[in-house]
Amino acid sequence: MKWRRTILSAAALLPALWLAGSFTIDAARARQAAQRRAATGALLEKRLQAFAWDNVPLGAALYTLSQQTGLPLDVDWPTLARHGVTPESRVYMRVSNIRADKCLTILFDSVVKDGTMIDHWVDDAGRVRISRPPGVEVARWEVYDISPFLPPAGE
C-alpha cells in the first residue's frame, strides 16, 4: 500500500511541476518583453532635433522620424484609412527640442481633422504600434450656458 500512495502522490505533483515549468517560461518571456518595451520607451523619451514638415506625406514623415530616432514603427494603415488618415495625408508641422513620443502625438493631431483619436503604444515585441485605440469614439464637446440656473452674484 505504501508504494501505491507514493505513486499517487507523485502523480498529483505532475500538474504542479508542469505549471512551475510553464511559469518559468512565461516569466522569462515577460522579462524579455519588458526589456524590449523599456528599450523602445527610452527611444520615445529621446529629445529630437528640429523638424519642419510642410506639405509632406504622412508616410514620408513617419519614415524620417523612424530613421532619425531608431524607433520601430508599426502603423495600422487599414484602420487609419477608415478614418481618413492615409500615408498620403499631408503634414504641416514644425517642432524642435521635443520628445519623440510628443512628436508622434503632434504629428497625428496635425493630420486628423474630425476629432478621431490616434494613439501610439509599445507592444511586447518592442515596436511602436500606431492605430486608433479599440473602443474609442470620436471626441465631442458640448457647452451649455447654465447661467439662468445660478443665483445672482450678490446672494
Side-chain angles (χ1 to χ4, degrees):
M1 292 292 214
K2 189 173 186 178
W3 63 269
R4 183 180 276 172
R5 205 175 344 184
T6 305
I7 291 173
L8 289 176
S9 297
L13 286 176
L14 286 177
L17 292 172
W18 177 77
L19 285 175
S22 173
F23 179 75
T24 304
I25 293 169
D26 290 344
R29 285 184 189 152
R31 210 172 17 261
Q32 290 170 348
Q35 289 170 345
R36 288 189 295 265
R37 283 193 306 268
T40 303
L43 292 174
L44 283 168
E45 293 293 321
K46 194 166 117 177
R47 293 243 169 225
L48 303 178
Q49 63 185 11
F51 281 104
W53 289 308
D54 291 321
N55 199 25
V56 173
L58 177 60
L62 286 172
Y63 178 79
T64 302
L65 184 63
S66 176
Q67 293 300 308
Q68 295 275 335
T69 61
L71 284 170
L73 300 178
D74 184 11
V75 184
D76 184 4
W77 291 117
T79 300
L80 298 181
R82 286 194 298 271
H83 298 282
V85 178
T86 66
E88 293 79 33
S89 297
R90 305 317 263 182
V91 175
Y92 300 92
M93 182 174 125
R94 293 176 188 270
V95 294
S96 64
N97 195 26
I98 64 169
R99 293 186 328 261
D101 64 338
K102 185 65 175 173
C103 184
L104 281 170
T105 301
I106 295 170
L107 184 64
F108 281 101
D109 286 348
S110 74
V111 295
V112 173
K113 303 299 180 210
D114 65 353
T116 299
M117 180 184 287
I118 298 175
D119 200 6
H120 62 277
W121 63 93
V122 180
D123 67 9
D124 286 345
R127 298 189 58 78
V128 178
R129 300 284 318 270
I130 300 171
S131 186
R132 189 170 191 280
V136 175
E137 298 301 320
V138 174
R140 181 175 168 172
W141 291 86
E142 292 186 18
V143 179
Y144 298 96
D145 180 14
I146 61 167
S147 61
F149 303 108
L150 299 175
E155 295 178 22

